[in-house]
Amino acid sequence: MAEYLKRSKSAAEIAKDDARTRAVVEDTLADIEARGDAAVRDLSAKFDRYEPNHFRLTPSEIEAAMSKVSSRDMADIKFAQDQIRTFAQAQRASMTDIEVETLPGVILGHKNIPVQSVGCYVPGGKFPMVASAHMSVLTASVAGVPRIIASAPPVDGGPHPAIVAAMSLGGAHEILCLGGIQAVGAMALGTETIEPVHMLVGPGNAFVAEAKRQLYGRVGIDLFAGPTETMVIADNTVDAELCATDLLGQAEHGYNSPAALITNSRRLAEETMIEIERLLQILPTAETARTSWRDYGDVILCADHDEMLRVANDMAYEHVQVMTDRDDWYLENMHSYGALFLGPRTNVANGDKVIGTNHTLPTKKAGRYTGGLWVGKFLKTHSYQKIMTDEAAAMIGECGSRLCMLEGFVGHAEQCNIRVRRYGGLNVPYGQAAPYREAAE
């Protein structure tokens, strides 16, 4: 049985935090729905001390912001977007429309149709998440979404230049300088000046994630992408410095970012905990990372790789860094996670910023039932059917009539019967099931 050398907050404590967040979000969304722009402006002033004449950036404001980005930073942004676009385009090419004749005269098919409007949230509170613009805006653009609205909070009293550049280069049609619950609420519910969208995407803090959860149904969402989670699965093929660095690299995101080490090496586990304390003395973001590690850090010692696999699948973390003597075995056998990072040469930060896979990933065990954001999330697969011959209309209609009556749906049966009469020449009595062909003959 797995042994916890360090355990995070209890589920009960986390549930209390979630309940407080839930109540705040519910009241805030109700205020936005009732008061529209006035509520959004009040919330922006309260949380971001930002009250512009308008939250939507004009073309000249976008150009001015982008002009502040250095040529080298702009080159890096474009390089990252090239990688993400290439992978997204390959994913899109894997999704094809189909049409097949399943029986003589019976045509079935499906089409992949883009969502018609998407709101992309880009976090920017503690850290300006430039890469989140690539992951949401650019991917939606590759999918062919005709209206993409992107929103990020103000940084230092105004729009963050690099975030604006990433949004614009990624293909955003509208850019808002607006953060938090007020941003996702305004995009989903609409206000006097912001037209509502059909879908919300993007990561965020606990309040943004909860707002998306509460808005789901009124709009679509990509997934529940709350505070980041990272897991390191490691054996004695790697050292404590590497494990500790990868754990703290994600723990610095926020005060409630879970980080877990799963290993079959007691020595590695103990040395990693010591190394974490050493690194916390020199890491500039140690205040945040230390709190996350203290409250949300786990070190789990397992008997063998089979037990490590079971524990990892059960926890279903967002980021899973695998550094073992059998990385491909984990690739073959892991089934619940956000994204895998296989081997010591890659790492979660590569996926977060530049390598090409999407960094908006499921958290809080949502990896059990969904993958991360990708081009397919912006596409709806719609089926269609058509019958080309009288013979097929009669044949399908006769069976359909009987199956409808089997369930007691007389009106349904008549939809089939009227076609049996018209196209098959068989006079089925009203409200009765079509006879079997041999009986009718």
Side-chain angles (χ1 to χ4, degrees), residues 37-102:
D37 282 333
V40 169
R41 185 167 296 280
D42 288 348
L43 290 162
S44 180
K46 177 181 178 180
F47 292 108
D48 292 321
R49 295 188 293 278
Y50 183 65
E51 298 181 81
N53 293 328
H54 48 265
F55 292 103
R56 180 176 175 177
L57 301 187
T58 64
S60 61
E61 288 171 330
I62 293 171
E63 184 178 351
M66 292 179 67
S67 70
K68 299 176 183 177
V69 181
S70 72
S71 59
R72 288 190 172 182
D73 285 346
M74 191 69 79
D76 284 342
I77 289 171
K78 290 179 178 179
F79 176 80
Q81 290 202 350
D82 284 345
Q83 311 320 304
I84 294 155
R85 183 180 294 106
T86 296
F87 189 58
Q89 288 172 339
Q91 290 180 312
R92 179 64 185 91
S94 75
M95 302 180 66
T96 57
D97 295 349
I98 64 169
E99 185 172 281
V100 59
E101 187 171 16
T102 57

Short mmCIF file of all heavy atoms in Angstrom, two decimals, residues 37-102:
data_model
loop_
_atom_site.label_atom_id
_atom_site.label_comp_id
_atom_site.label_asym_id
_atom_site.label_seq_id
_atom_site.Cartn_x
_atom_site.Cartn_y
_atom_site.Cartn_z
N ASP A 37 -22.98 46.30 -17.68
CA ASP A 37 -21.73 47.07 -17.72
C ASP A 37 -21.41 47.75 -16.40
O ASP A 37 -20.23 47.85 -16.02
CB ASP A 37 -21.81 48.14 -18.82
CG ASP A 37 -21.59 47.57 -20.21
OD1 ASP A 37 -20.91 46.53 -20.33
OD2 ASP A 37 -22.10 48.16 -21.18
N ALA A 38 -22.42 48.22 -15.68
CA ALA A 38 -22.18 48.90 -14.41
C ALA A 38 -21.52 47.95 -13.41
O ALA A 38 -20.58 48.33 -12.70
CB ALA A 38 -23.49 49.45 -13.84
N ALA A 39 -22.01 46.73 -13.35
CA ALA A 39 -21.41 45.74 -12.45
C ALA A 39 -19.98 45.40 -12.87
O ALA A 39 -19.08 45.30 -12.02
CB ALA A 39 -22.26 44.48 -12.42
N VAL A 40 -19.77 45.24 -14.16
CA VAL A 40 -18.43 44.92 -14.67
C VAL A 40 -17.45 46.03 -14.32
O VAL A 40 -16.33 45.78 -13.87
CB VAL A 40 -18.48 44.68 -16.19
CG1 VAL A 40 -17.08 44.62 -16.78
CG2 VAL A 40 -19.25 43.40 -16.51
N ARG A 41 -17.89 47.26 -14.49
CA ARG A 41 -17.01 48.40 -14.19
C ARG A 41 -16.70 48.47 -12.68
O ARG A 41 -15.56 48.70 -12.29
CB ARG A 41 -17.68 49.70 -14.65
CG ARG A 41 -16.82 50.94 -14.48
CD ARG A 41 -17.41 52.11 -15.23
NE ARG A 41 -17.42 51.85 -16.66
CZ ARG A 41 -16.37 51.99 -17.45
NH1 ARG A 41 -15.21 52.40 -16.96
NH2 ARG A 41 -16.46 51.74 -18.73
N ASP A 42 -17.71 48.24 -11.84
CA ASP A 42 -17.49 48.25 -10.39
C ASP A 42 -16.49 47.16 -9.98
O ASP A 42 -15.62 47.38 -9.14
CB ASP A 42 -18.81 48.05 -9.65
CG ASP A 42 -19.72 49.27 -9.73
OD1 ASP A 42 -19.24 50.34 -10.15
OD2 ASP A 42 -20.91 49.13 -9.38
N LEU A 43 -16.65 45.97 -10.55
CA LEU A 43 -15.77 44.86 -10.21
C LEU A 43 -14.34 45.12 -10.68
O LEU A 43 -13.37 44.80 -9.97
CB LEU A 43 -16.30 43.56 -10.83
CG LEU A 43 -17.59 43.03 -10.20
CD1 LEU A 43 -18.27 42.03 -11.13
CD2 LEU A 43 -17.31 42.40 -8.85
N SER A 44 -14.20 45.70 -11.86
CA SER A 44 -12.86 46.02 -12.36
C SER A 44 -12.18 47.06 -11.48
O SER A 44 -10.99 46.97 -11.19
CB SER A 44 -12.95 46.51 -13.81
OG SER A 44 -11.67 46.82 -14.33
N ALA A 45 -12.95 48.03 -11.05
CA ALA A 45 -12.39 49.05 -10.17
C ALA A 45 -11.99 48.46 -8.82
O ALA A 45 -10.94 48.79 -8.26
CB ALA A 45 -13.41 50.17 -9.96
N LYS A 46 -12.83 47.55 -8.30
CA LYS A 46 -12.57 46.95 -6.99
C LYS A 46 -11.36 46.04 -7.00
O LYS A 46 -10.50 46.13 -6.11
CB LYS A 46 -13.81 46.17 -6.54
CG LYS A 46 -13.65 45.45 -5.22
CD LYS A 46 -14.91 44.69 -4.86
CE LYS A 46 -14.74 43.92 -3.54
NZ LYS A 46 -15.98 43.17 -3.19
N PHE A 47 -11.27 45.17 -7.98
CA PHE A 47 -10.22 44.14 -7.96
C PHE A 47 -8.95 44.54 -8.71
O PHE A 47 -7.86 44.09 -8.37
CB PHE A 47 -10.77 42.83 -8.52
CG PHE A 47 -11.81 42.20 -7.63
CD1 PHE A 47 -13.13 42.19 -8.01
CD2 PHE A 47 -11.46 41.65 -6.42
CE1 PHE A 47 -14.11 41.62 -7.19
CE2 PHE A 47 -12.41 41.07 -5.59
CZ PHE A 47 -13.75 41.06 -5.98
N ASP A 48 -9.11 45.36 -9.76
CA ASP A 48 -7.94 45.70 -10.57
C ASP A 48 -7.63 47.20 -10.57
O ASP A 48 -6.66 47.62 -11.23
CB ASP A 48 -8.16 45.25 -12.03
CG ASP A 48 -8.18 43.73 -12.16
OD1 ASP A 48 -7.38 43.08 -11.45
OD2 ASP A 48 -8.99 43.20 -12.93
N ARG A 49 -8.48 47.99 -9.88
CA ARG A 49 -8.30 49.45 -9.85
C ARG A 49 -8.15 49.99 -11.28
O ARG A 49 -7.26 50.78 -11.59
CB ARG A 49 -7.09 49.83 -8.99
CG ARG A 49 -7.29 49.49 -7.53
CD ARG A 49 -6.18 50.04 -6.65
NE ARG A 49 -4.91 49.38 -6.93
CZ ARG A 49 -4.56 48.20 -6.43
NH1 ARG A 49 -5.38 47.57 -5.61
NH2 ARG A 49 -3.39 47.65 -6.71
N TYR A 50 -9.06 49.53 -12.14
CA TYR A 50 -8.98 49.87 -13.56
C TYR A 50 -10.37 50.27 -14.05
O TYR A 50 -11.31 49.47 -14.00
CB TYR A 50 -8.46 48.67 -14.34
CG TYR A 50 -8.25 48.89 -15.82
CD1 TYR A 50 -7.29 49.78 -16.28
CD2 TYR A 50 -8.99 48.17 -16.76
CE1 TYR A 50 -7.08 49.98 -17.64
CE2 TYR A 50 -8.79 48.36 -18.11
CZ TYR A 50 -7.84 49.27 -18.55
OH TYR A 50 -7.64 49.43 -19.90
N GLU A 51 -10.53 51.53 -14.48
CA GLU A 51 -11.81 52.04 -14.93
C GLU A 51 -11.64 52.84 -16.23
O GLU A 51 -11.73 54.06 -16.25
CB GLU A 51 -12.43 52.95 -13.87
CG GLU A 51 -12.76 52.28 -12.55
CD GLU A 51 -13.38 53.24 -11.57
OE1 GLU A 51 -14.60 53.48 -11.66
OE2 GLU A 51 -12.65 53.76 -10.71
N PRO A 52 -11.39 52.17 -17.35
CA PRO A 52 -11.21 52.88 -18.62
C PRO A 52 -12.55 53.35 -19.18
O PRO A 52 -13.62 52.95 -18.70
CB PRO A 52 -10.59 51.81 -19.51
CG PRO A 52 -11.22 50.54 -19.01
CD PRO A 52 -11.34 50.71 -17.52
N ASN A 53 -12.49 54.17 -20.20
CA ASN A 53 -13.72 54.57 -20.88
C ASN A 53 -14.41 53.39 -21.54
O ASN A 53 -15.64 53.34 -21.65
CB ASN A 53 -13.42 55.65 -21.93
CG ASN A 53 -12.96 56.94 -21.30
OD1 ASN A 53 -13.38 57.28 -20.19
ND2 ASN A 53 -12.08 57.67 -21.98
N HIS A 54 -13.61 52.45 -21.99
CA HIS A 54 -14.14 51.24 -22.61
C HIS A 54 -13.16 50.10 -22.38
O HIS A 54 -11.94 50.32 -22.34
CB HIS A 54 -14.37 51.44 -24.12
CG HIS A 54 -13.21 52.06 -24.83
ND1 HIS A 54 -13.11 53.42 -25.07
CD2 HIS A 54 -12.05 51.52 -25.31
CE1 HIS A 54 -11.96 53.67 -25.68
NE2 HIS A 54 -11.31 52.55 -25.84
N PHE A 55 -13.69 48.90 -22.21
CA PHE A 55 -12.83 47.74 -21.97
C PHE A 55 -12.33 47.11 -23.26
O PHE A 55 -11.31 46.43 -23.27
CB PHE A 55 -13.58 46.69 -21.13
CG PHE A 55 -13.84 47.14 -19.73
CD1 PHE A 55 -15.10 47.57 -19.34
CD2 PHE A 55 -12.82 47.14 -18.79
CE1 PHE A 55 -15.34 47.99 -18.04
CE2 PHE A 55 -13.05 47.55 -17.48
CZ PHE A 55 -14.32 47.98 -17.10
N ARG A 56 -13.06 47.32 -24.35
CA ARG A 56 -12.62 46.78 -25.64
C ARG A 56 -11.56 47.69 -26.24
O ARG A 56 -11.76 48.90 -26.37
CB ARG A 56 -13.81 46.66 -26.59
CG ARG A 56 -13.43 46.10 -27.95
CD ARG A 56 -14.65 45.89 -28.84
NE ARG A 56 -14.26 45.48 -30.18
CZ ARG A 56 -15.12 45.16 -31.14
NH1 ARG A 56 -16.42 45.19 -30.90
NH2 ARG A 56 -14.70 44.81 -32.33
N LEU A 57 -10.44 47.10 -26.61
CA LEU A 57 -9.35 47.88 -27.18
C LEU A 57 -9.65 48.25 -28.62
O LEU A 57 -10.16 47.44 -29.41
CB LEU A 57 -8.04 47.10 -27.12
CG LEU A 57 -7.55 46.65 -25.74
CD1 LEU A 57 -6.16 46.03 -25.86
CD2 LEU A 57 -7.54 47.80 -24.75
N THR A 58 -9.33 49.48 -28.98
CA THR A 58 -9.49 49.93 -30.36
C THR A 58 -8.28 49.46 -31.17
O THR A 58 -7.24 49.08 -30.61
CB THR A 58 -9.55 51.46 -30.41
OG1 THR A 58 -8.30 51.99 -29.95
CG2 THR A 58 -10.68 51.99 -29.53
N PRO A 59 -8.39 49.48 -32.50
CA PRO A 59 -7.22 49.10 -33.32
C PRO A 59 -5.97 49.91 -32.99
O PRO A 59 -4.86 49.36 -32.96
CB PRO A 59 -7.70 49.37 -34.75
CG PRO A 59 -9.19 49.15 -34.67
CD PRO A 59 -9.59 49.69 -33.33
N SER A 60 -6.13 51.20 -32.70
CA SER A 60 -4.96 52.01 -32.38
C SER A 60 -4.37 51.63 -31.03
O SER A 60 -3.14 51.66 -30.83
CB SER A 60 -5.33 53.50 -32.39
OG SER A 60 -6.33 53.79 -31.43
N GLU A 61 -5.22 51.24 -30.07
CA GLU A 61 -4.73 50.81 -28.76
C GLU A 61 -3.99 49.46 -28.88
O GLU A 61 -2.99 49.23 -28.20
CB GLU A 61 -5.88 50.71 -27.78
CG GLU A 61 -6.43 52.06 -27.34
CD GLU A 61 -7.71 51.96 -26.54
OE1 GLU A 61 -8.49 51.00 -26.77
OE2 GLU A 61 -7.95 52.84 -25.68
N ILE A 62 -4.49 48.61 -29.74
CA ILE A 62 -3.81 47.32 -29.98
C ILE A 62 -2.45 47.57 -30.60
O ILE A 62 -1.43 47.00 -30.18
CB ILE A 62 -4.68 46.43 -30.88
CG1 ILE A 62 -5.96 46.01 -30.14
CG2 ILE A 62 -3.89 45.19 -31.33
CD1 ILE A 62 -6.97 45.31 -31.03
N GLU A 63 -2.42 48.46 -31.59
CA GLU A 63 -1.15 48.77 -32.26
C GLU A 63 -0.16 49.39 -31.28
O GLU A 63 1.04 49.06 -31.28
CB GLU A 63 -1.42 49.72 -33.42
CG GLU A 63 -0.18 50.04 -34.26
CD GLU A 63 -0.49 50.95 -35.44
OE1 GLU A 63 -1.69 51.19 -35.71
OE2 GLU A 63 0.47 51.42 -36.08
N ALA A 64 -0.65 50.28 -30.42
CA ALA A 64 0.23 50.94 -29.45
C ALA A 64 0.80 49.92 -28.46
O ALA A 64 1.99 49.99 -28.10
CB ALA A 64 -0.54 52.02 -28.71
N ALA A 65 -0.03 49.01 -28.01
CA ALA A 65 0.45 47.99 -27.07
C ALA A 65 1.51 47.11 -27.73
O ALA A 65 2.56 46.83 -27.14
CB ALA A 65 -0.72 47.15 -26.58
N MET A 66 1.25 46.68 -28.96
CA MET A 66 2.18 45.79 -29.65
C MET A 66 3.51 46.49 -29.92
O MET A 66 4.56 45.84 -29.96
CB MET A 66 1.56 45.28 -30.94
CG MET A 66 0.39 44.33 -30.71
SD MET A 66 -0.38 43.74 -32.24
CE MET A 66 0.93 42.72 -32.94
N SER A 67 3.49 47.79 -30.09
CA SER A 67 4.72 48.52 -30.38
C SER A 67 5.68 48.52 -29.19
O SER A 67 6.87 48.80 -29.33
CB SER A 67 4.40 49.97 -30.78
OG SER A 67 3.92 50.71 -29.66
N LYS A 68 5.15 48.19 -28.00
CA LYS A 68 5.98 48.16 -26.79
C LYS A 68 6.71 46.82 -26.61
O LYS A 68 7.54 46.68 -25.71
CB LYS A 68 5.13 48.44 -25.56
CG LYS A 68 4.45 49.80 -25.57
CD LYS A 68 3.54 49.97 -24.35
CE LYS A 68 2.82 51.31 -24.40
NZ LYS A 68 1.88 51.47 -23.25
N VAL A 69 6.38 45.85 -27.44
CA VAL A 69 7.01 44.54 -27.34
C VAL A 69 8.33 44.56 -28.10
O VAL A 69 8.37 44.96 -29.27
CB VAL A 69 6.08 43.43 -27.90
CG1 VAL A 69 6.74 42.06 -27.75
CG2 VAL A 69 4.73 43.46 -27.18
N SER A 70 9.39 44.13 -27.47
CA SER A 70 10.70 44.16 -28.13
C SER A 70 10.71 43.20 -29.32
O SER A 70 9.94 42.24 -29.37
CB SER A 70 11.80 43.76 -27.14
OG SER A 70 11.74 42.38 -26.85
N SER A 71 11.61 43.44 -30.23
CA SER A 71 11.68 42.59 -31.43
C SER A 71 12.03 41.16 -31.06
O SER A 71 11.53 40.21 -31.68
CB SER A 71 12.72 43.16 -32.41
OG SER A 71 14.00 43.23 -31.80
N ARG A 72 12.85 40.98 -30.05
CA ARG A 72 13.23 39.62 -29.65
C ARG A 72 12.05 38.90 -28.99
O ARG A 72 11.83 37.71 -29.25
CB ARG A 72 14.43 39.66 -28.70
CG ARG A 72 15.72 40.02 -29.44
CD ARG A 72 16.94 39.84 -28.57
NE ARG A 72 18.17 40.02 -29.33
CZ ARG A 72 19.40 39.88 -28.84
NH1 ARG A 72 19.54 39.55 -27.56
NH2 ARG A 72 20.45 40.04 -29.60
N ASP A 73 11.32 39.60 -28.13
CA ASP A 73 10.13 38.99 -27.52
C ASP A 73 9.10 38.66 -28.59
O ASP A 73 8.45 37.61 -28.55
CB ASP A 73 9.53 39.93 -26.48
CG ASP A 73 10.33 39.96 -25.19
OD1 ASP A 73 11.19 39.07 -24.99
OD2 ASP A 73 10.10 40.89 -24.38
N MET A 74 8.95 39.56 -29.56
CA MET A 74 7.99 39.31 -30.64
C MET A 74 8.40 38.07 -31.45
O MET A 74 7.56 37.26 -31.83
CB MET A 74 7.88 40.53 -31.54
CG MET A 74 6.72 40.45 -32.53
SD MET A 74 5.09 40.57 -31.74
CE MET A 74 4.99 42.35 -31.48
N ALA A 75 9.69 37.93 -31.69
CA ALA A 75 10.18 36.76 -32.43
C ALA A 75 9.89 35.48 -31.67
O ALA A 75 9.50 34.45 -32.26
CB ALA A 75 11.67 36.90 -32.72
N ASP A 76 10.07 35.51 -30.35
CA ASP A 76 9.79 34.32 -29.54
C ASP A 76 8.30 33.99 -29.55
O ASP A 76 7.91 32.82 -29.62
CB ASP A 76 10.26 34.53 -28.10
CG ASP A 76 11.77 34.42 -27.95
OD1 ASP A 76 12.42 33.86 -28.87
OD2 ASP A 76 12.30 34.89 -26.93
N ILE A 77 7.45 35.02 -29.46
CA ILE A 77 6.01 34.80 -29.52
C ILE A 77 5.62 34.16 -30.85
O ILE A 77 4.85 33.19 -30.90
CB ILE A 77 5.25 36.13 -29.31
CG1 ILE A 77 5.38 36.60 -27.86
CG2 ILE A 77 3.78 35.99 -29.70
CD1 ILE A 77 4.86 38.00 -27.61
N LYS A 78 6.19 34.67 -31.93
CA LYS A 78 5.86 34.13 -33.25
C LYS A 78 6.37 32.70 -33.40
O LYS A 78 5.70 31.85 -34.01
CB LYS A 78 6.45 35.03 -34.34
CG LYS A 78 5.73 36.37 -34.45
CD LYS A 78 6.36 37.26 -35.53
CE LYS A 78 5.61 38.58 -35.65
NZ LYS A 78 6.23 39.46 -36.69
N PHE A 79 7.55 32.41 -32.85
CA PHE A 79 8.08 31.06 -32.92
C PHE A 79 7.16 30.09 -32.18
O PHE A 79 6.82 29.01 -32.69
CB PHE A 79 9.48 30.99 -32.31
CG PHE A 79 10.06 29.60 -32.26
CD1 PHE A 79 10.63 29.02 -33.39
CD2 PHE A 79 10.00 28.86 -31.09
CE1 PHE A 79 11.14 27.72 -33.35
CE2 PHE A 79 10.51 27.56 -31.03
CZ PHE A 79 11.08 26.99 -32.17
N ALA A 80 6.74 30.47 -30.97
CA ALA A 80 5.84 29.61 -30.20
C ALA A 80 4.53 29.40 -30.96
O ALA A 80 4.01 28.27 -31.03
CB ALA A 80 5.57 30.22 -28.83
N GLN A 81 4.01 30.46 -31.54
CA GLN A 81 2.74 30.32 -32.27
C GLN A 81 2.90 29.44 -33.50
O GLN A 81 1.96 28.69 -33.85
CB GLN A 81 2.19 31.70 -32.65
CG GLN A 81 1.70 32.48 -31.44
CD GLN A 81 0.71 33.58 -31.78
OE1 GLN A 81 0.50 33.91 -32.95
NE2 GLN A 81 0.10 34.16 -30.76
N ASP A 82 4.04 29.47 -34.13
CA ASP A 82 4.28 28.58 -35.27
C ASP A 82 4.19 27.11 -34.84
O ASP A 82 3.62 26.28 -35.55
CB ASP A 82 5.66 28.85 -35.88
CG ASP A 82 5.70 30.12 -36.72
OD1 ASP A 82 4.63 30.63 -37.07
OD2 ASP A 82 6.82 30.59 -37.01
N GLN A 83 4.76 26.81 -33.66
CA GLN A 83 4.73 25.41 -33.19
C GLN A 83 3.31 24.99 -32.85
O GLN A 83 2.86 23.89 -33.21
CB GLN A 83 5.62 25.24 -31.95
CG GLN A 83 7.02 25.82 -32.04
CD GLN A 83 7.69 25.61 -33.38
OE1 GLN A 83 7.83 24.48 -33.86
NE2 GLN A 83 8.10 26.71 -34.02
N ILE A 84 2.59 25.86 -32.18
CA ILE A 84 1.22 25.54 -31.76
C ILE A 84 0.30 25.44 -32.97
O ILE A 84 -0.54 24.54 -33.06
CB ILE A 84 0.73 26.59 -30.75
CG1 ILE A 84 1.57 26.49 -29.47
CG2 ILE A 84 -0.75 26.44 -30.44
CD1 ILE A 84 1.65 27.76 -28.66
N ARG A 85 0.49 26.35 -33.94
CA ARG A 85 -0.33 26.31 -35.16
C ARG A 85 -0.08 25.04 -35.96
O ARG A 85 -1.02 24.40 -36.44
CB ARG A 85 -0.03 27.54 -36.02
CG ARG A 85 -0.92 27.63 -37.27
CD ARG A 85 -0.58 28.85 -38.10
NE ARG A 85 -0.92 30.09 -37.40
CZ ARG A 85 -0.02 30.91 -36.85
NH1 ARG A 85 1.29 30.62 -36.91
NH2 ARG A 85 -0.41 32.02 -36.24
N THR A 86 1.17 24.63 -36.06
CA THR A 86 1.51 23.42 -36.82
C THR A 86 0.82 22.19 -36.24
O THR A 86 0.24 21.38 -36.96
CB THR A 86 3.03 23.22 -36.85
OG1 THR A 86 3.64 24.31 -37.55
CG2 THR A 86 3.40 21.92 -37.54
N PHE A 87 0.88 22.07 -34.91
CA PHE A 87 0.25 20.91 -34.27
C PHE A 87 -1.26 20.99 -34.37
O PHE A 87 -1.94 19.98 -34.64
CB PHE A 87 0.70 20.81 -32.81
CG PHE A 87 0.29 19.52 -32.15
CD1 PHE A 87 0.67 18.29 -32.67
CD2 PHE A 87 -0.48 19.52 -31.00
CE1 PHE A 87 0.30 17.10 -32.07
CE2 PHE A 87 -0.86 18.34 -30.38
CZ PHE A 87 -0.48 17.13 -30.91
N ALA A 88 -1.82 22.19 -34.18
CA ALA A 88 -3.28 22.35 -34.27
C ALA A 88 -3.78 22.05 -35.68
O ALA A 88 -4.85 21.45 -35.86
CB ALA A 88 -3.68 23.76 -33.85
N GLN A 89 -3.03 22.47 -36.69
CA GLN A 89 -3.42 22.18 -38.07
C GLN A 89 -3.39 20.68 -38.35
O GLN A 89 -4.27 20.15 -39.05
CB GLN A 89 -2.51 22.93 -39.04
CG GLN A 89 -2.78 24.43 -39.07
CD GLN A 89 -1.75 25.20 -39.88
OE1 GLN A 89 -0.63 24.72 -40.11
NE2 GLN A 89 -2.12 26.40 -40.32
N ALA A 90 -2.40 19.98 -37.79
CA ALA A 90 -2.34 18.53 -37.96
C ALA A 90 -3.52 17.86 -37.27
O ALA A 90 -4.12 16.91 -37.79
CB ALA A 90 -1.02 17.99 -37.39
N GLN A 91 -3.89 18.36 -36.09
CA GLN A 91 -5.07 17.83 -35.40
C GLN A 91 -6.34 18.08 -36.22
O GLN A 91 -7.19 17.20 -36.34
CB GLN A 91 -5.19 18.47 -34.02
CG GLN A 91 -4.13 18.03 -33.03
CD GLN A 91 -4.31 18.70 -31.68
OE1 GLN A 91 -4.49 19.91 -31.59
NE2 GLN A 91 -4.27 17.91 -30.62
N ARG A 92 -6.45 19.28 -36.76
CA ARG A 92 -7.65 19.60 -37.56
C ARG A 92 -7.74 18.70 -38.78
O ARG A 92 -8.85 18.24 -39.14
CB ARG A 92 -7.62 21.08 -38.01
CG ARG A 92 -8.83 21.49 -38.86
CD ARG A 92 -10.10 21.38 -38.07
NE ARG A 92 -11.29 21.65 -38.87
CZ ARG A 92 -11.99 20.74 -39.52
NH1 ARG A 92 -11.58 19.46 -39.50
NH2 ARG A 92 -13.08 21.06 -40.19
N ALA A 93 -6.61 18.41 -39.39
CA ALA A 93 -6.61 17.55 -40.58
C ALA A 93 -7.04 16.13 -40.25
O ALA A 93 -7.52 15.40 -41.14
CB ALA A 93 -5.23 17.55 -41.21
N SER A 94 -6.90 15.74 -38.98
CA SER A 94 -7.30 14.38 -38.59
C SER A 94 -8.81 14.24 -38.45
O SER A 94 -9.33 13.13 -38.37
CB SER A 94 -6.64 13.99 -37.26
OG SER A 94 -7.27 14.65 -36.17
N MET A 95 -9.53 15.36 -38.44
CA MET A 95 -10.98 15.35 -38.27
C MET A 95 -11.64 15.57 -39.62
O MET A 95 -11.58 16.68 -40.16
CB MET A 95 -11.42 16.42 -37.27
CG MET A 95 -10.80 16.30 -35.91
SD MET A 95 -11.35 17.59 -34.79
CE MET A 95 -13.10 17.18 -34.62
N THR A 96 -12.23 14.56 -40.16
CA THR A 96 -12.79 14.67 -41.50
C THR A 96 -14.32 14.54 -41.46
O THR A 96 -14.88 13.86 -40.62
CB THR A 96 -12.23 13.58 -42.42
OG1 THR A 96 -12.49 12.30 -41.84
CG2 THR A 96 -10.72 13.75 -42.58
N ASP A 97 -14.96 15.24 -42.39
CA ASP A 97 -16.38 15.03 -42.61
C ASP A 97 -16.55 13.67 -43.30
O ASP A 97 -15.67 13.25 -44.07
CB ASP A 97 -16.96 16.12 -43.50
CG ASP A 97 -16.91 17.51 -42.85
OD1 ASP A 97 -16.61 17.57 -41.63
OD2 ASP A 97 -17.15 18.50 -43.55
N ILE A 98 -17.64 13.00 -43.03
CA ILE A 98 -17.87 11.71 -43.67
C ILE A 98 -19.27 11.65 -44.26
O ILE A 98 -20.19 12.33 -43.81
CB ILE A 98 -17.68 10.52 -42.70
CG1 ILE A 98 -18.71 10.56 -41.57
CG2 ILE A 98 -16.27 10.49 -42.16
CD1 ILE A 98 -18.75 9.29 -40.74
N GLU A 99 -19.43 10.84 -45.31
CA GLU A 99 -20.73 10.52 -45.88
C GLU A 99 -20.66 9.09 -46.40
O GLU A 99 -19.72 8.75 -47.12
CB GLU A 99 -21.11 11.49 -47.00
CG GLU A 99 -22.53 11.26 -47.52
CD GLU A 99 -22.98 12.33 -48.49
OE1 GLU A 99 -23.37 13.43 -48.03
OE2 GLU A 99 -22.93 12.07 -49.72
N VAL A 100 -21.62 8.26 -46.00
CA VAL A 100 -21.57 6.85 -46.36
C VAL A 100 -22.97 6.36 -46.71
O VAL A 100 -23.97 6.79 -46.11
CB VAL A 100 -20.97 6.01 -45.19
CG1 VAL A 100 -21.79 6.18 -43.91
CG2 VAL A 100 -20.84 4.55 -45.55
N GLU A 101 -23.06 5.48 -47.70
CA GLU A 101 -24.33 4.85 -48.05
C GLU A 101 -24.41 3.54 -47.27
O GLU A 101 -23.77 2.55 -47.62
CB GLU A 101 -24.40 4.61 -49.56
CG GLU A 101 -25.77 4.12 -50.02
CD GLU A 101 -25.91 4.09 -51.54
OE1 GLU A 101 -24.87 4.15 -52.23
OE2 GLU A 101 -27.05 4.02 -52.02
N THR A 102 -25.19 3.54 -46.18
CA THR A 102 -25.24 2.38 -45.29
C THR A 102 -26.13 1.27 -45.83
O THR A 102 -25.93 0.10 -45.51
CB THR A 102 -25.73 2.79 -43.90
OG1 THR A 102 -27.03 3.42 -44.03
CG2 THR A 102 -24.76 3.78 -43.25
#
